[in-house]
Amino acid sequence: IKEVVQYCINQGLFVIVNIHWDGGWLENNITTTAQAAVNAKQKAFWQQIATELRGFDEHLLFASANEPAAVSVAGTDSAEVAAEHMAVLLSYHQTFVDAVRATGGRNAYRVLVVQGPNTNIDLTNSLMRSLPSDPAPVRMMVEVHYYEPWNYVGMTVDETWGNQAFYWGAGFLSTSDPAHNAMWGEEAYMESKFDLVRDQFVQHGIPVLIGEFATPRRTGQLSGAALELHLAGRAYFHEYVVRSALAHGLIPIYWDSGFLGDFGSGIFDRPNLRVGDMQTLQALMAGKQ
């Protein structure tokens, strides 16, 4: 890991290191029952990681978690349970901050990233009303992810409650296959979600990462003109996320799945050292204009 971080910094890149999933020992255990054990493990991990990487400059950031499943996205948790689990998650973040800062050196002022519950914008807006305490002023960022609408970014089969969406956005909906158009979650919806994050954090001096966003290619389900329309709308979606996020003061980070095939979101063909999806790369770069 240290070697890869150095590769990136040699090229002037910024790097975020987190414990990504790792079997879900933190992500799936945001409970009072697991709290003591998880905090002990969180402390031990970050003492070692932060000590090993202490010498890197501000191009290296540390992030407390990945997608901590603190609250039921389906809304089945009571308000009391949701608040309790949010408090547990904040304790994990506090342990992370304390462990990193205690290692000293550049870690005493390194930028640290903490995740909202489920990295879901709505849940973060309603539940994450405070952040961990940090002896280093203005050195903390918040992370959320953007995978909406799920019909478009995650569904792989049509269900009785709704269909997959292959087509998204103004000018990119299908007239021949309207059953698979996005029925919600288009441009105005995205703007409203990014408004929430900006108003809650950015306007109060707390930077925010859209730490993951992507929608997959449907090359195995579509062909011909339908596939072309899907891919064009997909490029537009990615461009729109980047442009809207930046306009809201947010930092968007694309989720490259490493997979270039059907239902993949990979851009880079790493084994062959080439760009495997130039359309998506160009769309992301166009969003910066």
Side-chain angles (χ1 to χ4, degrees):
I1 292 170
K2 191 173 185 178
E3 183 177 13
V4 173
V5 171
Q6 188 65 63
Y7 289 159
C8 296
I9 290 179
N10 288 348
Q11 298 301 322
L13 301 176
F14 285 83
V15 184
I16 302 171
V17 168
N18 73 359
I19 302 168
H20 198 92
W21 178 243
D22 194 28
W25 63 265
L26 185 151
E27 316 296 334
N28 282 351
N29 288 290
I30 318 293
T31 65
T32 54
T33 304
Q35 186 173 10
V38 172
N39 267 319
K41 191 168 184 176
Q42 177 85 321
K43 180 179 180 180
F45 263 88
W46 281 106
Q47 284 176 329
Q48 296 172 73
I49 296 167
T51 299
E52 182 68 26
L53 303 180
R54 181 168 48 198
F56 288 108
D57 67 11
E58 69 278 3
H59 287 83
L60 176 64
L61 293 74
F62 295 150
S64 176
N66 172 40
E67 291 180 339
V71 187
S72 168
V73 177
T76 55
D77 289 331
S78 68
E80 292 77 15
V81 168
E84 178 182 272
H85 288 187
M86 185 66 237
V88 172
L89 175 58
L90 283 174
S91 80
Y92 297 166
H93 290 332
Q94 188 66 61
T95 295
F96 158 75
V97 172
D98 294 345
V100 171
R101 296 295 184 228
T103 61
R106 288 170 168 164
N107 290 336
Y109 52 85
R110 188 175 308 284
V111 173
L112 304 181
V113 184
V114 296
Q115 293 68 33
N118 304 58
T119 56
N120 175 276
I121 289 176
D122 287 324
L123 293 175
T124 300
N125 180 255
S126 62
L127 295 172
M128 198 171 192
R129 310 312 299 180
S130 63
L131 298 178
S133 62
D134 187 2
V138 294
R139 288 292 186 273
M140 187 173 295
M141 304 179 75
V142 169
E143 179 181 358
V144 293
H145 294 171
Y146 190 76
Y147 288 118
E148 297 188 71
W150 186 249
N151 307 59
Y152 186 56
V153 303
M155 283 181 68
T156 57
V157 295
D158 293 342
E159 302 285 359
T160 56
W161 52 264
N163 290 338
Q164 305 163 84
F166 301 149
Y167 315 102
W168 185 96
F172 297 97
L173 300 181
S174 175
T175 56
S176 60
D177 185 20
H180 290 104
N181 286 336
M183 300 299 182
W184 66 281
E186 296 183 277
E187 295 94 334
Y189 178 90
M190 185 190 301
E191 297 284 345
S192 71
K193 298 306 171 185
F194 291 173
D195 284 347
L196 290 177
V197 183
R198 177 199 60 204
D199 295 349
Q200 184 175 3
F201 298 112
V202 177
Q203 289 187 344
H204 298 281
I206 302 165
V208 176
L209 299 171
I210 306 295
E212 294 181 20
F213 72 94
T215 192
R217 290 175 290 271
R218 305 278 186 160
T219 52
Q221 296 170 292
L222 302 170
S223 61
L227 178 59
E228 289 183 13
L229 180 62
H230 159 72
L231 292 175
R234 179 177 177 271
Y236 170 67
F237 172 86
H238 291 132
E239 178 181 344
Y240 200 97
V241 171
V242 172
R243 178 169 289 113
S244 179
L246 294 175
H248 285 81
L250 316 175
I251 301 172
I253 302 176
Y254 181 80
W255 177 251
D256 186 320
S257 65
F259 180 52
L260 285 161
D262 181 43
F263 216 76
S265 64
I267 294 177
F268 300 107
D269 179 2
R270 290 176 175 83
N272 296 302
L273 303 178
R274 69 183 188 93
V275 176
D277 183 359
M278 185 61 73
Q279 183 183 42
T280 299
L281 179 59
Q282 290 175 339
L284 296 172
M285 299 306 293
K288 293 177 59 180
Q289 305 304 316

